[in-house]
Amino acid sequence: NAGVTQTPKFQVLKTGQSMTLQCAQDMNHNSMYWYRQDPGMGLRLIYYSASEGTTDKGEVPNGYNVSRLNKREFSLRLESAAPSQTSVYFCATVPKGQFLSYEQYFGPGTRLTVT
Amino acid sequence: AQSVTQLGSHVSVSEGALVLLRCNYSSSVPPYLFWYVQYPNQGLQLLLKYTSAATLVKGINGFEAEFKKSETSFHLTKPSAHMSDAAEYFCAVSDYKSSGSARQLTFGSGTQLTVLP
């Protein structure tokens, strides 16, 4: 069991370039989430997907798009990267049936720098 | 909207000393509360959680937290710090959005714990 995997681990982009961050899980979890982590700000929710086929905006969705490709995969796309999107991006999942306990399982993160 | 405040972005303790990391929350409904730990260059791991059962919650690695409704607090403690406890710690509160179908977590800004030899 790999758990939650994220690719790439590191990425440097120039302003205006686009890229897709990939997240995959092999735990058969229903809900998936994308966060960004910035110093002194904790984690902020970008988008989430409650189940396959649905996506919703979180706290900071501007400049991002997401796709829930299937139950396993949830991708985050930056169409035109900006320096303000320099951050560490985390994917997280929640199993079906854990509604009350709501523990999230996190991937190792993607460190993105936009110059 | 729910919110979490972690008092002290940096806390230093000596090895063997008491660890106390503070967390206060605001919530209009009974909350679910969590503490996560993040070691350098890793994702977050759950330390412990409060889901309206016992108010004193025990977690992994000797950590525990007490839910105090009157103080809207959920402080994290460990009686004796170990060098391996050095990490960043995040308090989080659950938030059910009526317009969505999945619970969301609101995180505090984090507390970096340094353990001095």
Side-chain angles (χ1 to χ4, degrees):
Chain A
N1 257 2
V4 182
T5 58
Q6 292 183 236
T7 55
K9 287 186 167 53
F10 301 93
Q11 184 71 49
V12 178
L13 291 178
K14 293 184 178 179
T15 298
Q17 288 184 319
S18 62
M19 79 161 296
T20 300
L21 282 64
Q22 306 285 357
C23 174
Q25 52 101 359
D26 61 1
M27 299 179 288
N28 201 34
H29 288 181
N30 263 29
S31 301
M32 300 183 73
Y33 302 77
W34 276 108
Y35 292 92
R36 60 178 289 172
Q37 183 180 30
D38 302 293
M41 302 189 74
L43 278 75
R44 293 181 291 168
L45 183 64
I46 305 171
Y47 271 94
Y48 68 98
S49 171
S51 59
E52 186 179 354
T54 68
T55 60
D56 284 287
K57 294 178 180 179
E59 180 185 354
V60 289
N62 291 345
Y64 305 95
N65 285 300
V66 291
S67 296
R68 183 74 182 265
L69 305 169
N70 47 55
K71 190 170 186 178
R72 291 187 61 250
E73 298 171 293
F74 188 39
S75 63
L76 178 71
R77 183 161 178 84
L78 287 69
E79 291 291 352
S80 178
S84 61
Q85 294 178 305
T86 293
S87 188
V88 182
Y89 291 85
F90 287 100
C91 178
T93 69
V94 174
K96 183 178 182 180
Q98 283 224 0
F99 182 79
L100 290 180
S101 64
Y102 198 66
E103 174 182 350
Q104 290 197 344
Y105 294 77
F106 285 82
T110 294
R111 296 181 179 276
L112 175 67
T113 302
V114 183
T115 60
Chain B
Q2 307 202 349
S3 66
V4 175
T5 301
Q6 290 184 240
L7 298 175
S9 58
H10 290 85
V11 170
S12 293
V13 299
S14 298
E15 191 172 19
L18 171 71
V19 175
L20 171 60
L21 305 182
R22 299 178 186 274
C23 173
N24 289 89
Y25 68 92
S26 68
S27 173
S28 58
V29 298
Y32 294 144
L33 294 158
F34 306 81
W35 276 99
Y36 282 84
V37 60
Q38 184 181 30
Y39 298 103
N41 300 314
Q42 294 186 25
L44 278 70
Q45 303 172 33
L46 182 69
L47 265 182
L48 49 81
K49 60 187 178 186
Y50 166 77
T51 56
S52 74
T55 57
L56 182 62
V57 181
K58 294 187 184 299
I60 61 172
N61 301 337
F63 283 94
E64 62 181 38
E66 186 172 9
F67 172 69
K68 292 187 176 180
K69 183 179 179 181
S70 61
E71 299 177 9
T72 61
S73 69
F74 190 57
H75 301 331
L76 181 70
T77 60
K78 182 174 180 178
S80 177
H82 192 273
M83 297 296 288
S84 61
D85 295 326
E88 190 158 21
Y89 292 80
F90 293 93
C91 184
V93 61
S94 69
D95 176 14
Y96 181 68
K97 287 179 66 70
S98 59
S99 61
S101 56
R103 283 184 178 267
Q104 297 181 28
L105 285 181
T106 300
F107 287 86
S109 56
T111 297
Q112 182 67 48
L113 175 66
T114 300
V115 182
L116 305 170

